[in-house]
Amino acid sequence: MQSSAKKQFKKGETLIREGERGECAYVIEAGNVEILVQRDGQAIQIGVRGPGSLIGEMAMIDDKPRTATVRAVEDCDVIEITREDFGRRVESADPVLKMVLRVLTTRYRDMLGRTETIRFVPSTTAEAVENSEAFHDIALSTIKIHNELKVALQRGELTLFYQPIIDVQNMKIAGFEALMRWKHPQKGMISPGIFIPVAEESGLILELSRFALDVACDATKELQKAASPALVVPEPLFVGVNFSVKDFMGGNLFTHMRDTLAKKGVAAQQIHLEITETLLMEAPEAAKAELEKCREIGLNVSIDDFGSGYSSLSYLHYFPIDTLKIDQSFIRSMTTHPNSLVLVKSIIGLARNLGMKVIAEGIETVKEAGILYTLGCDYIQGYWFSKPLPFDDAMKFVKNWQPPKLEIDNNSVNTNT
Ligand code: C2E
Ligand code: CA
Ligand code: CA
């Protein structure tokens, strides 16, 4: 098993080569290295690093090709940290440290992803990101996304897709989740993972949420009207709308929701307010007050990505909650990791005891669906039967859906091994 090791590089030797897959990072102990990127067939030096610097750190997060070459400009001593060693250290770290690391690496990756995916600025290099120029580029790209997003909202480039949610116990359509998309005229379809965090940071999320609620209400009515009675559950269809913690801070989310429902003529029971547990914990008092008012008029409160946060279960009593949406990561590992199966089983049991419903997200296989059926889960959502659909396709879905067959294997839920 490999672990951190000291290494030496002679002047002119290459530590990291652009385009190759990265397996390790280096901490420079002595000597200097230069960072080079290829531009128009020429190697351009974009920085120099000396003792104490960390280079090639993206290899700790993923195995994408290196985006720069690093060469020793003099004899160097370095400590090599392999991804395997890093992973092992993280696994054995204190849980709080582990969580902080996970959050930081995810944010770092998102930040780079945003810059690279959108390409509002010339591509920056992962290795160069620690230099202030690259950070400046990222900040600039965030501002550009914000400005373009504002215009996009006015120009009607934002739209909602609808992913069906199925009552797994009878395989009938129970509702949909509304997921935002940005149809960018030049860059094509941009995922909410890119622009929602920017909207949250800049405050534009308030307008986006209002837009989503408006459009989702219209869609709810249309989908309900078009639904073939034999394919849907007897209760009215519901549509889940995602909200962010900022929506709860202003103190007028409730009034806006109540007025919108009245204006659109949609029953409150048909709208599920989706909010993640991590967001709830950021502003618990404000969220509780608004959620209680929303719930009083019949809106359904769903906890999104349940289990992925790092909060205490006691909040399940603190907040008014109707539905738990089990995080996709548990579903993904349920068939390979017995502990995940135990967790899914426990969440379903917990919800039942607390009088809540459960939606399992990210169902991709018939096996996962069969397990959730056997565990008594209420609803499932996932690529196994449908990706998020444009509105017209969602309309076809409620008219023509043909439920795939479940495969039930009672042994697959046996966790007493
Ligand atoms: P989320 O609320 O957890 O939504 C579920 C995400 O999982 C969606 O990604 C969906 O397309 C994806 N998904 C569903 N089934 C499967 C599956 O079987 N396999 C896999 N691999 N993925 C599946 P999407 O649409 O890219 O949305 C990402 C996130 O962006 C959402 O996560 C939500 O947090 C946020 N988001 C989307 N629309 C809105 C919105 O209108 N407002 C706010 N505040 N956030 C939104
Ligand atoms: Ca959601
Ligand atoms: Ca989710």
Side-chain angles (χ1 to χ4, degrees):
M1 204 178 266
Q2 280 181 303
S3 68
S4 311
K6 291 211 178 215
K7 275 191 151 182
Q8 288 183 320
F9 287 93
K10 292 263 171 250
K11 179 178 174 184
E13 273 188 299
T14 300
L15 290 78
I16 288 172
R17 203 177 296 279
E18 190 174 343
E20 284 183 357
R21 299 215 169 258
E23 288 281 313
C24 64
Y26 298 105
V27 179
I28 305 174
E29 280 203 316
N32 281 299
V33 298
E34 60 178 347
I35 300 173
L36 306 155
V37 290
Q38 287 291 324
R39 289 277 185 273
D40 304 324
Q42 267 200 322
I44 311 239
Q45 193 202 69
I46 57 159
V48 175
R49 296 282 182 280
S53 297
L54 172 67
I55 50 173
E57 72 282 359
M58 280 305 282
M60 300 295 99
I61 314 177
D62 56 35
D63 67 348
K64 286 200 186 132
R66 303 280 200 184
T67 51
T69 295
V70 179
R71 199 161 56 198
V73 288
E74 56 198 12
D75 291 355
C76 290
D77 295 331
V78 300
I79 300 172
E80 182 186 67
I81 314 162
T82 62
R83 188 180 321 137
E84 194 188 342
D85 177 45
F86 179 73
R88 212 170 33 242
R89 283 169 197 260
V90 171
E91 274 320 303
S92 58
D94 167 84
V96 175
L97 187 62
K98 208 159 117 180
M99 186 222 170
V100 171
L101 262 175
R102 205 178 60 204
V103 170
L104 288 179
T105 46
T106 308
R107 287 200 182 146
Y108 185 48
R109 196 203 319 249
D110 283 356
M111 207 162 74
L112 291 171
R114 247 182 267 157
T115 313
E116 283 182 1
T117 312
I118 303 272
R119 289 193 192 282
F120 281 97
V121 292
S123 162
T124 183
T125 71
E127 280 75 14
V129 113
E130 67 179 86
N131 84 27
S132 59
E133 227 174 281
F135 269 123
H136 177 251
D137 276 0
I138 287 169
L140 205 68
S141 107
T142 304
I143 295 166
K144 285 190 176 178
I145 298 173
H146 167 77
N147 289 340
E148 285 219 10
L149 195 51
K150 239 171 136 172
V151 177
L153 187 61
Q154 287 150 8
R155 284 197 191 142
E157 288 167 21
L158 295 181
T159 181
L160 295 182
F161 274 32
Y162 301 87
Q163 188 174 29
I165 298 174
I166 301 299
D167 179 335
V168 65
Q169 299 302 326
N170 57 31
M171 292 304 280
K172 291 193 172 183
I173 306 166
F176 291 83
E177 177 175 2
L179 293 155
M180 205 175 282
R181 298 288 181 265
W182 178 2
K183 282 186 185 165
H184 194 288
Q186 281 91 40
K187 298 171 183 89
M189 201 65 89
I190 300 179
S191 124
I194 306 279
F195 65 85
I196 292 287
V198 175
E200 280 173 348
E201 268 169 47
S202 66
L204 198 63
I205 193 72
L206 300 182
E207 282 175 62
L208 259 53
S209 300
R210 283 171 183 235
F211 162 80
L213 181 65
D214 254 44
V215 178
C217 279
D218 291 338
T220 308
K221 280 201 304 198
E222 294 300 315
L223 290 165
Q224 182 71 60
K225 257 193 267 164
S228 160
L231 302 179
V232 300
V233 294
E235 299 80 30
L237 288 180
F238 64 80
V239 172
V241 183
N242 290 283
F243 287 90
S244 129
V245 73
K246 284 240 167 94
D247 293 308
F248 291 89
M249 312 265 250
N252 54 11
L253 176 73
F254 163 72
T255 322
H256 177 72
M257 306 255 320
R258 188 194 53 199
D259 295 350
T260 307
L261 291 169
K263 189 174 79 191
K264 302 275 182 189
V266 173
Q269 288 71 13
Q270 289 189 275
I271 299 297
H272 284 203
L273 228 139
E274 295 198 9
I275 176 148
T276 64
E277 57 176 334
T278 323
L279 291 184
L280 275 187
M281 303 323 278
E282 277 182 34
E285 280 93 24
K288 183 178 159 75
E290 284 300 289
L291 287 176
E292 273 172 350
K293 285 190 274 177
C294 289
R295 197 150 174 257
E296 263 168 35
I297 60 162
L299 280 154
N300 179 299
V301 177
S302 299
I303 301 301
D304 207 351
D305 304 341
F306 182 73
S308 68
Y310 195 73
S311 41
S312 143
L313 283 185
S314 60
Y315 82 91
L316 287 178
H317 278 300
Y318 182 73
F319 295 109
I321 298 166
D322 301 286
T323 308
L324 299 180
K325 294 193 82 170
I326 306 179
D327 190 54
Q328 302 194 14
S329 59
F330 297 127
I331 306 299
R332 194 110 326 120
S333 54
M334 195 175 62
T335 48
T336 48
H337 291 76
N339 282 348
S340 297
L341 183 59
V342 171
L343 270 166
V344 171
K345 214 175 181 173
S346 312
I347 295 172
I348 294 171
L350 182 74
R352 193 175 299 139
N353 290 332
L354 293 172
M356 298 171 185
K357 296 276 188 191
V358 179
I359 302 178
E361 274 190 296
I363 313 306
E364 294 188 351
T365 64
V366 64
K367 191 169 177 192
E368 289 163 355
I371 292 176
L372 290 157
Y373 168 85
T374 313
L375 292 178
C377 182
D378 300 293
Y379 307 112
I380 56 173
Q381 174 183 350
Y383 296 172
W384 177 50
F385 51 91
S386 178
K387 290 202 166 184
L389 305 168
F391 176 71
D392 290 349
D393 292 346
M395 289 289 276
K396 288 183 197 142
F397 192 92
V398 290
K399 290 178 195 162
N400 309 316
W401 189 52
Q402 295 184 338
K405 240 187 134 39
L406 282 169
E407 286 171 17
I408 315 296
D409 171 8
N410 287 324
N411 287 330
S412 62
V413 297
N414 188 359
T415 47
N416 305 321
T417 43

